[in-house]
Amino acid sequence: MGPLSIIFQGAVTHKSRLCRDVIENIASTRRHFPEDEIILSTWKLSAPLHQQLQDSLKTLQVVIIESEDPGPLVYQEKETRWVTNINRMIVSSRQGIYQATHTNVVKLRTDSRLYNRNIAYLLRHRSEEEQLYPREPAYSLFRQRIINSNLFARNARGYMPYLFHPGDILLAGSKQDLFALFDIPLADESIFEVCFCFSIFSLMRYVPEQYLWVKYIEKVTGVSEFPGNRFTSEKLKKASERFYINNFVPYSCEALGFLWNKHSRVYKNKGLSSVYTTEDWIKLHHQRPFTGNDVLSLSQKAGSVWIFILRTILWIKFFPLHISFIRRLAIKLFSRRT
């Protein structure tokens, strides 16, 4: 397979100082990938910070890329603000992948790391996986499936059924495929929309993972497959599933040898039961189209009831947010993007 290009994408500073955790994440990954290319793709730094970053990484043989900062997008509701860094992710990921010199690339965040070589093994055996699980040509948009950390790879039939929502925390595959995925137009303020759809509440028509995937599908097919988070239907669920299983394969963090502390520290590991597992993916691949006449097993019926209960709890939780004053208060109290 040859060496990999490992791209760390994202911020390198915290409160205007160089973040030592970023340096440690890169150093830890380098210990397990001594012969592979490591790229750090961030945005423009001041001269002192740039020099400090270079000095900190000089023994680790890291290529540093500093792009022009496209800045955040800001949702404004009266005095309340909510920020997304979607364009920063797109620009820094695209530039890092573009400058990779190897055929296979791994894209992760600067606040994460690889702690073993599992990802190299999985990339090396992708051809065998393609033979075991052949793809539908009409839904296959990459040369090969992209390996996907299942963190935030939402199950279309789970209790948080965001559609067209692959995870973006770690992606691995061919340079050509990954570059194409991020080679999309930047988002603008039209991405913001207050969306309620039973157990879903979002301030965005597409959250970043959805925007990336929906816009890529539109670029390749010319069709806008998903109108946004206010909409759901059986047809949309099936399309979401078929596009996902033909273009991505999910793995747990443990299977990938991947660590992202923020999921446990900030998100408290919420939503783990709402994402695709590798086993879910395999079952979905073999599943025949649902006709409405299928006889469900007792365990399947129990699972469906449990998901409905969880979705109902979320609906109750989100119902007060229909009131704009309460919504603004909740954003102030609970938003992690301030």
Side-chain angles (χ1 to χ4, degrees), residues 19-202:
C19 183
R20 301 307 306 178
D21 286 346
V22 173
I23 308 303
E24 178 53 35
N25 286 332
I26 295 173
S28 176
T29 300
R30 171 55 82 197
R31 286 194 288 272
H32 298 284
F33 295 85
E35 304 300 325
D36 297 278
E37 179 179 54
I38 292 183
I39 295 172
L40 170 60
S41 185
T42 186
W43 33 91
K44 291 287 186 182
L45 299 169
S46 66
L49 279 173
H50 174 82
Q51 188 60 54
Q52 188 180 353
L53 179 64
Q54 281 195 320
D55 292 343
S56 299
L57 295 175
K58 63 184 177 182
T59 63
L60 298 175
Q61 297 179 303
V62 177
V63 178
I64 301 172
I65 300 169
E66 295 177 37
S67 302
E68 291 294 334
D69 186 359
L73 289 176
V74 180
Y75 170 82
Q76 191 86 31
E77 189 172 333
K78 292 190 175 179
E79 74 285 359
T80 303
R81 298 172 77 254
W82 189 83
V83 174
T84 177
N85 287 316
I86 180 172
N87 288 336
R88 285 173 164 162
M89 176 189 70
I90 292 171
V91 169
S92 54
S93 298
R94 183 169 61 205
Q95 287 301 107
I97 296 165
Y98 177 75
Q99 296 201 37
T101 61
H102 299 305
T103 301
N104 288 294
V105 302
V106 180
K107 197 287 296 184
L108 62 161
R109 294 166 44 126
T110 52
D111 57 357
S112 64
R113 64 175 68 176
L114 296 169
Y115 60 82
N116 62 35
R117 290 187 60 84
N118 284 4
I119 190 72
Y121 174 86
L122 292 171
L123 283 167
R124 189 161 55 247
H125 290 276
R126 276 194 306 162
S127 296
E128 298 169 22
E129 171 199 278
E130 297 283 297
Q131 292 176 357
L132 284 172
Y133 306 104
R135 300 195 290 164
E136 299 175 89
Y139 290 89
S140 301
L141 307 184
F142 298 129
R143 298 168 68 201
Q144 284 184 295
R145 288 187 179 97
I146 287 175
I147 291 172
N148 188 203
S149 166
N150 73 334
L151 292 179
F152 303 126
R154 299 295 182 197
N155 190 324
R157 300 182 191 275
Y159 74 93
M160 297 175 66
Y162 286 87
L163 303 182
F164 294 87
H165 194 300
D168 66 352
I169 305 301
L170 179 145
L171 298 161
S174 76
K175 173 183 174 177
Q176 182 176 326
D177 287 335
L178 280 177
F179 178 78
L181 178 62
F182 285 94
D183 189 24
I184 58 172
L186 298 186
D188 58 31
E189 284 76 10
S190 65
I191 199 173
F192 294 118
E193 181 180 8
V194 178
C195 297
F196 291 95
C197 189
F198 196 61
S199 61
I200 287 176
F201 161 68
S202 177

Side-chain angles (χ1 to χ4, degrees), residues 230-283:
R230 290 193 299 111
F231 300 89
T232 189
S233 68
E234 183 62 24
K235 181 180 179 181
L236 286 171
K237 289 178 183 179
K238 287 181 178 179
S240 178
E241 291 170 335
R242 293 176 82 176
F243 275 110
Y244 186 79
I245 65 171
N246 283 286
N247 294 284
F248 298 94
V249 55
Y251 289 97
S252 68
C253 291
E254 293 75 18
L256 293 168
F258 173 67
L259 180 65
W260 185 47
N261 282 324
K262 187 176 180 179
H263 193 246
S264 57
R265 189 180 69 249
V266 177
Y267 292 97
K268 311 300 182 185
N269 289 322
K270 291 180 179 177
L272 278 177
S273 58
S274 72
V275 299
Y276 287 117
T277 64
T278 308
E279 291 73 22
D280 292 332
W281 182 88
I282 292 171
K283 290 177 182 177

